[in-house]
Amino acid sequence: MANYVLSEEEKYVTARIADAFLARHQVWEPFQYTERIQAAAEKLPLGLRQFMVASRAAEAAVITVSNLPLDENLVPTPASWHIAEKEGAAIREELVLLLVASLLGDPFAWSNQQNGRLVHDVCPSKGQETSLTSASSQTQLTLHTEDVFHACRGDYVALMCLRNPDDVGTTVARVDAVDLDGSVRDVLHQDRFRFYPDDSHEYGTVDGGTAGPDERPHERGAVLFGPAEFPYLRMDADFTSPLPGDTEAERAMAECAERLNTSAERVVLRPGMVAFLDNYRVVHGRDVFTPRYDGTDRWLKRTSVVRDLRRTYVHTGKRSRVLA
């Protein structure tokens, strides 16, 4: 894990950059400002910029930056991401996240996830306690690759903590910490698996209901890919399945999932801390917790980052930061 803690002076400079940017842009429309945000990121403290460039080059599995500025009068945790969107909650913190994230690559969004917003709100919601989404609380979020279903899924998942009074843990498992038999690895390196969108991606059906996983668009591919000595990982046990009837692939995936769970580490995000999880090298999840729904619950800002946005343009045939 690569860690950087801003000094008080660096924190002050970062806050000044964010405040000056917002003063020049009275209406918060992040998609219109992405290039300007990337330019403003070049004004961030030199030590932070050097650390992020070095961590990117080294392909650090988990990168954390702490002591980022937060509003001293931070509003209560929203009751849902819909309310956070409606109220424009914690816009300054969104900008700080995008500034730092821009040092690693290009933030982007999904058209069918949280209304296509560039930055998402992660907070518990009533009625969603046991869902398989970030709005849940009373069910363990299975270790997963973010947006496992898409070839242009992010290289990084960025999670910035605004509030976490109960020390709810983010679980992380690194593919290079998993010891698998050669025969199992061989199976996982083959295109014998289907990858589906998770429940945070909204796919309606003809009758207006919610599409089940098998009704959603999916891709076929391998769980392990890339250099054999430095493999990358693509898996979400809830939304990945072997090809029908392939019992060998089913056993290999189950063993991989079990080994990942056994090796998982727990990272507790603190207010003003952002974690960039390499979406090719680690899978992540979240602990169970009991929400209070009183404005003090865990609250994160999240965005996805791609190291080269042009590969999404090539894949989709559109020059857009919003993927379908």
Side-chain angles (χ1 to χ4, degrees):
M1 184 181 298
N3 306 296
Y4 190 90
V5 180
L6 272 70
S7 68
E8 289 304 308
E9 174 63 22
E10 290 174 321
K11 179 180 180 180
Y12 173 75
V13 169
T14 302
R16 287 283 302 272
I17 292 169
D19 290 339
F21 190 97
L22 290 175
R24 295 193 302 272
H25 305 86
Q26 297 295 320
V27 178
W28 182 234
E29 296 178 345
F31 280 113
Q32 294 188 19
Y33 307 148
T34 50
E35 289 81 6
R36 299 176 201 175
I37 291 172
Q38 288 177 311
E42 294 301 314
K43 301 176 184 178
L44 289 170
L46 177 62
L48 173 60
R49 287 184 280 129
Q50 291 177 331
F51 164 78
M52 295 295 279
V53 170
S55 299
R56 183 184 188 276
E59 293 191 75
V62 179
I63 305 167
T64 67
V65 178
S66 302
N67 202 33
L68 290 166
L70 291 181
D71 191 335
E72 294 181 357
N73 299 308
L74 186 66
V75 298
T77 300
S80 69
W81 69 261
H82 299 86
I83 293 177
E85 177 187 33
K86 180 180 179 180
E87 297 179 349
I91 285 174
R92 183 178 185 245
E93 285 67 31
E94 287 192 13
L95 174 57
V96 169
L97 173 58
L98 291 173
L99 284 166
V100 181
S102 294
L103 298 175
L104 285 179
D106 297 287
F108 71 95
W110 299 94
S111 63
N112 58 3
Q113 193 179 51
Q114 292 207 12
N115 286 343
R117 295 193 298 155
L118 190 58
V119 179
H120 297 171
D121 287 275
V122 177
C123 48
S125 301
K126 284 186 178 180
Q128 297 293 313
E129 289 84 356
T130 60
S131 70
L132 298 177
T133 71
S134 61
S136 69
S137 51
Q138 296 180 3
T139 189
Q140 187 89 18
L141 272 189
T142 305
L143 292 170
H144 62 280
T145 297
E146 194 80 354
D147 306 312
V148 67
F149 71 102
H150 204 288
C152 294
R153 60 195 175 279
D155 291 288
Y156 299 98
V157 182
L159 302 172
M160 181 176 177
C161 179
L162 278 59
R163 186 174 285 129
N164 190 14
D166 301 311
D167 291 342
V168 178
T170 298
T171 49
V172 177
R174 296 179 293 113
V175 62
D176 55 4
V178 175
D179 184 20
L180 295 168
D181 292 338
S183 60
V184 173
R185 282 184 176 272
D186 288 343
V187 173
L188 295 173
H189 270 283
Q190 297 169 16
D191 292 346
R192 297 164 67 171
F193 304 89
R194 290 176 175 174
F195 303 94
Y196 295 89
D198 64 54
D199 288 347
S200 68
H201 291 269
E202 297 178 355
Y203 287 92
T205 58
V206 175
D207 61 4
T210 300
D214 290 340
E215 301 173 88
R216 304 171 191 177
H218 63 273
E219 290 188 353
R220 175 176 169 174
V223 167
L224 297 180
F225 59 99
E229 71 280 7
F230 194 80
Y232 299 132
L233 174 67
R234 178 187 193 182
M235 195 173 77
D236 181 340
D238 291 324
F239 296 96
T240 302
S241 64
L243 296 180
D246 192 338
T247 56
E248 186 180 36
E250 184 177 12
R251 287 194 299 268
M253 193 182 82
E255 181 174 340
C256 183
E258 182 180 353
R259 297 293 180 90
L260 287 167
N261 284 327
T262 301
S263 68
E265 306 168 51
R266 188 170 177 270
V267 178
V268 177
L269 301 178
R270 311 288 185 186
M273 175 181 177
V274 59
F276 296 93
L277 310 178
D278 189 319
N279 203 37
Y280 278 45
R281 297 200 59 210
V282 303
V283 285
H284 69 283
R286 191 217 60 234
D287 287 346
V288 172
F289 67 101
T290 302
R292 290 179 289 270
Y293 301 124
D294 62 356
T296 66
D297 285 320
R298 177 179 183 264
W299 182 14
L300 309 180
K301 292 284 184 178
R302 178 185 67 201
T303 193
S304 294
V305 180
V306 66
R307 289 167 70 105
D308 180 6
L309 191 62
R310 287 193 295 186
R311 72 178 174 91
T312 70
Y313 299 164
V314 171
H315 185 84
T316 63
K318 295 188 298 183
R319 196 175 188 279
S320 172
R321 288 178 183 262
V322 183
L323 301 184

